[in-house]
């Protein structure tokens, strides 16, 4: 049915449920199967017009084959989001001067007056989903056998299936899945999700890099050979997940277990590992060490620092040596002022392009960014580079 839809909310809308589903009725849907519970007329105050709305009841057995066009997710006394399969919109209450009267068509009595409407606004999804996952999911153990050990050493957080996460997170299914993948989370055989410890992954990656460097080969590798020496120390599911993070995508479901490593992912994780290990480097020393770490690989090519963008801050000053520092932008604070204060701990001057990059995941509005920077920073004009520099206010 290609008609527009209007939603009207009562104060008891969410009741004791945390989500409502909106179904699309196909053109051939038999409307006579619906039971009309109540019809309500809407009298518009501004132009004396009226419309009629129906509250209908559909048997649950008839819902299975209907496509879901959106899900309304909310909590009592909290915000409500409208989620399609791929996107999430926050439902914002907007006041209006024009009133709408609800009245019962059977007796003509006015039930209520509405003086506001709702509009949809894009949500800043990734950070909110990431924070929920970090606060609620456990880390996967190095070896699953450890889970049977002393209770004191168990991870007290409970792993969750995607369906459980959908019920608890007010965002779309694909946004939740994309965030899980971006955070390198892994699933067990029960389809439950876990966080992946970065240091644990880096240890496994370093061993694999050593193995392929000794053999000077990234292609036609046997997955089982890569795992063989690590199985006594690490869980096989964990090893397979870490290997999948660095192989060519076409090899994910290769039944012959013959895989090839992605050279760009090798460059990326090698560079991230070096940055994270020492946190702060002279730029020249870092580039030399990074190059040396992977120089034995057949496909070695000139390294581009942009591969690591989002994981470092450069402090370039003509009066001193250039410095590179590790920072994971995915883990920066989610509010503007806290993030700005965190960035100034690394260095005291940023140009606009740098700040635009570090704030893009929490602020897409450049006008708003400009206003906040004017309010919270000291602006200095660079004579040599002819650009504005932003410094902390004292």
């Amino acid at each position: 049915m290609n008609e527009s839809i209007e939603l009207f909310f009562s104060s008891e809308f969410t009741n004791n449920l945390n989500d409502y589903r909106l179904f699309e009725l196909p053109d051939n849907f038999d409307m006579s199967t619906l039971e009309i519970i109540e019809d309500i007329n809407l009298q518009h105050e501004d132009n004396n017009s009226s419309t009629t709305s129906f509250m209908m009841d559909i048997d649950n057995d008839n819902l299975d084959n209907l496509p879901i066009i959106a899900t309304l997710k909310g909590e009592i006394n909290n915000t409500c989001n409208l989620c399609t399969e791929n996107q999430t919109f926050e439902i914002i209450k907007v006041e209006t001067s024009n009133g709408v009267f609800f009245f019962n068509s059977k007796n003509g009595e006015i039930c209520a007056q509405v003086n506001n409407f709702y509009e949809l606004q894009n949500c800043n999804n990734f950070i909110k989903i990431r924070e929920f996952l970090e606060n609620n999911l456990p880390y996967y153990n190095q070896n699953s056998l450890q889970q049977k050990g002393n209770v004191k050493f168990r991870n007290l957080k409970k792993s969750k299936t995607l369906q459980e996460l959908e019920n608890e997170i007010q965002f779309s299914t694909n946004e939740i899945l994309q965030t899980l993948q971006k955070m390198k989370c892994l699933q067990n055989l029960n389809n439950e999700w876990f966080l992946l410890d970065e240091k644990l992954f880096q240890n496994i990656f370093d061993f694999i890099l050593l193995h392929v460097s000794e053999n000077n080969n990234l292609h036609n590798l046997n997955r089982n050979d890569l795992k063989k020496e690590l199985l006594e120390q690490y869980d096989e599911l964990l090893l397979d997940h870490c290997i999948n993070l660095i192989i060519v995508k076409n090899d994910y479901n290769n039944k012959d277990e013959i895989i090839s490593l992605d050279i760009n992912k090798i460059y990326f994780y090698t560079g991230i590992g070096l940055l994270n290990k020492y946190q702060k480097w002279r730029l020249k020393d870092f580039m030399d060490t990074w190059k040396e770490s992977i120089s034995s690989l057949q496909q070695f090519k000139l390294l581009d620092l942009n591969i690591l963008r989002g994981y470092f801050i450069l402090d370039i000053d003509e009066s001193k040596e250039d410095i590179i520092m590790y920072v994971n932008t995915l883990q920066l604070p989610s509010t503007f002022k806290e993030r700005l204060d965190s960035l100034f701990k690394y260095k005291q001057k940023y140009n606009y392009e740098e700040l635009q990059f570090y704030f893009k995941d929490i602020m897409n509005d450049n006008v708003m960014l400009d206003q906040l920077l004017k309010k919270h920073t000291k602006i200095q004009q660079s004579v040599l580079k002819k650009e504005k520099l932003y410094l902390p206010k004292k």
Side-chain angles (χ1 to χ4, degrees):
M1 299 177 71
N2 299 319
E3 298 179 11
S4 62
I5 182 172
E6 288 184 327
L7 305 173
F8 299 94
F9 302 94
S10 71
S11 58
E12 291 81 28
F13 168 67
T14 56
N15 201 6
N16 292 321
L17 299 176
N18 62 356
D19 66 66
Y20 280 75
R21 291 171 293 166
L22 304 180
F23 295 92
E24 180 180 358
L25 301 182
D27 292 334
N28 60 355
F29 188 82
D30 185 2
M31 297 294 288
S32 65
T33 61
L34 302 179
E35 178 186 351
I36 298 179
I37 301 175
E38 182 180 2
D39 60 346
I40 300 174
N41 278 355
L42 306 181
Q43 183 67 42
H44 300 271
E45 183 181 56
D46 54 343
N47 57 12
N48 294 320
S49 63
S50 65
T51 56
T52 301
S53 294
F54 300 96
M55 291 181 61
M56 301 178 177
D57 184 35
I58 304 178
D59 192 326
N60 284 337
D61 292 338
N62 294 328
L63 296 180
D64 294 338
N65 297 321
L66 292 180
I68 298 175
I69 57 172
T71 303
L72 293 170
K73 295 185 178 183
E75 298 175 1
I76 296 175
N77 298 324
N78 203 343
T79 58
C80 181
N81 290 344
L82 185 145
C83 305
T84 66
E85 185 177 356
N86 299 308
Q87 288 182 283
T88 300
F89 303 91
E90 189 174 357
I91 301 177
I92 304 295
K93 187 176 181 179
V94 180
E95 301 295 333
T96 177
S97 58
N98 295 325
V100 176
F101 291 102
F102 285 75
F103 72 92
N104 191 313
S105 61
K106 295 179 180 178
N107 56 27
E109 293 182 359
I110 294 177
C111 305
Q113 180 179 358
V114 177
N115 292 311
N116 56 69
F117 63 93
Y118 294 85
E119 67 179 16
L120 303 180
Q121 291 186 4
N122 280 317
C123 292
N124 185 5
N125 306 328
F126 170 75
I127 289 180
K128 293 180 180 178
I129 299 173
R130 186 207 75 199
E131 289 177 344
F132 178 92
L133 297 177
E134 287 177 342
N135 292 331
N136 290 276
L137 288 186
Y139 281 93
Y140 195 82
N141 284 294
Q142 178 172 330
N143 191 313
S144 60
L145 296 176
Q146 292 178 359
Q147 295 177 3
K148 301 177 182 179
N150 193 307
V151 175
K152 286 198 306 182
F153 298 102
R154 290 182 186 172
N155 195 327
L156 298 180
K157 295 178 183 177
K158 182 184 178 299
S159 55
K160 300 176 186 292
T161 63
L162 180 60
Q163 185 175 357
E164 289 173 323
L165 291 173
E166 287 179 299
N167 291 336
E168 296 183 36
I169 303 177
Q170 291 179 239
F171 293 97
S172 71
T173 301
N174 283 347
E175 286 170 321
I176 295 172
L177 272 174
Q178 288 167 9
T179 306
L180 287 165
Q181 292 164 0
K182 202 169 185 178
M183 295 174 65
K184 302 195 286 288
C185 296
L186 69 154
Q187 275 181 297
N188 65 10
L189 298 178
N190 296 322
N191 294 319
E192 296 168 327
W193 286 93
F194 294 80
L195 299 174
L196 175 64
D197 182 83
E198 289 288 345
K199 290 183 178 179
L200 188 59
F201 166 73
Q202 196 64 47
N203 289 339
I204 294 173
F205 172 79
D206 288 344
F207 176 86
I208 294 174
L209 180 62
L210 179 63
H211 178 87
V212 297
S213 296
E214 288 175 349
N215 294 281
N216 196 18
N217 180 36
L218 297 178
H219 302 291
N220 298 318
L221 302 171
N222 187 292
R223 179 190 290 265
N224 292 324
D225 288 344
L226 286 179
K227 295 188 295 184
K228 188 183 301 180
E229 295 182 46
L230 293 169
L231 281 173
E232 291 185 7
Q233 187 176 357
Y234 300 103
D235 179 77
E236 186 169 12
L237 185 68
L238 172 64
L239 291 175
D240 278 322
H241 178 71
C242 292
I243 290 173
N244 285 341
L245 291 174
I246 58 176
I247 64 176
V248 176
K249 281 188 176 181
N250 294 339
D251 291 344
Y252 281 178
N253 299 312
N254 192 330
K255 294 180 181 179
D256 295 330
E257 300 293 336
I258 302 301
I259 57 175
S260 296
L261 303 189
D262 187 321
I263 186 65
N264 291 317
K265 293 176 182 177
I266 297 295
Y267 290 165
F268 175 77
Y269 288 118
T270 303
I272 295 300
L274 290 171
L275 278 174
N276 195 11
K277 185 175 182 180
Y278 296 106
Q279 297 292 308
K280 185 175 181 179
W281 291 72
R282 285 192 290 267
L283 180 58
K284 183 181 184 306
D285 292 344
F286 171 74
M287 295 300 294
D288 289 343
T289 306
W290 189 20
K291 179 180 178 180
E292 185 180 347
S293 299
I294 52 181
S295 59
S296 63
L297 300 177
Q298 281 182 338
Q299 294 187 16
F300 176 75
K301 57 184 179 181
L302 291 177
L303 295 171
D304 183 355
L305 199 56
N306 284 323
I307 294 175
L308 307 179
R309 199 171 187 202
Y311 288 86
F312 68 85
I313 287 177
L314 281 178
D315 188 4
I316 297 178
D317 192 323
E318 293 181 358
S319 63
K320 59 183 181 181
E321 290 186 285
D322 297 340
I323 299 296
I324 185 170
M325 294 162 283
Y326 174 79
V327 57
N328 186 345
T329 54
L330 301 180
Q331 297 175 348
L332 287 172
S334 58
T335 61
F336 176 86
K337 188 61 170 64
E338 289 180 347
R339 179 168 291 205
L340 186 66
D341 291 342
S342 178
L343 288 171
F344 280 133
K345 291 177 182 177
Y346 291 94
K347 66 176 184 176
Q348 294 292 291
K349 294 180 182 180
Y350 289 86
N351 62 34
Y352 185 77
E353 184 182 345
E354 288 177 307
L355 291 174
Q356 196 176 31
F357 175 79
Y358 292 123
F359 282 99
K360 68 178 182 179
D361 61 332
I362 63 171
M363 188 172 299
N364 293 320
D365 187 344
N366 289 336
V367 175
M368 179 63 72
L369 178 61
D370 292 343
Q371 292 173 350
L372 289 171
L373 289 175
K374 286 178 182 178
K375 179 179 179 181
H376 295 287
T377 68
K378 177 183 175 181
I379 302 176
Q380 185 182 88
Q381 187 70 36
S382 172
V383 178
L384 293 176
K385 296 185 178 180
K386 296 181 180 181
E387 63 180 358
K388 291 180 180 179
L389 296 176
Y390 298 83
L391 291 73
K393 278 189 173 180
K394 301 299 183 183

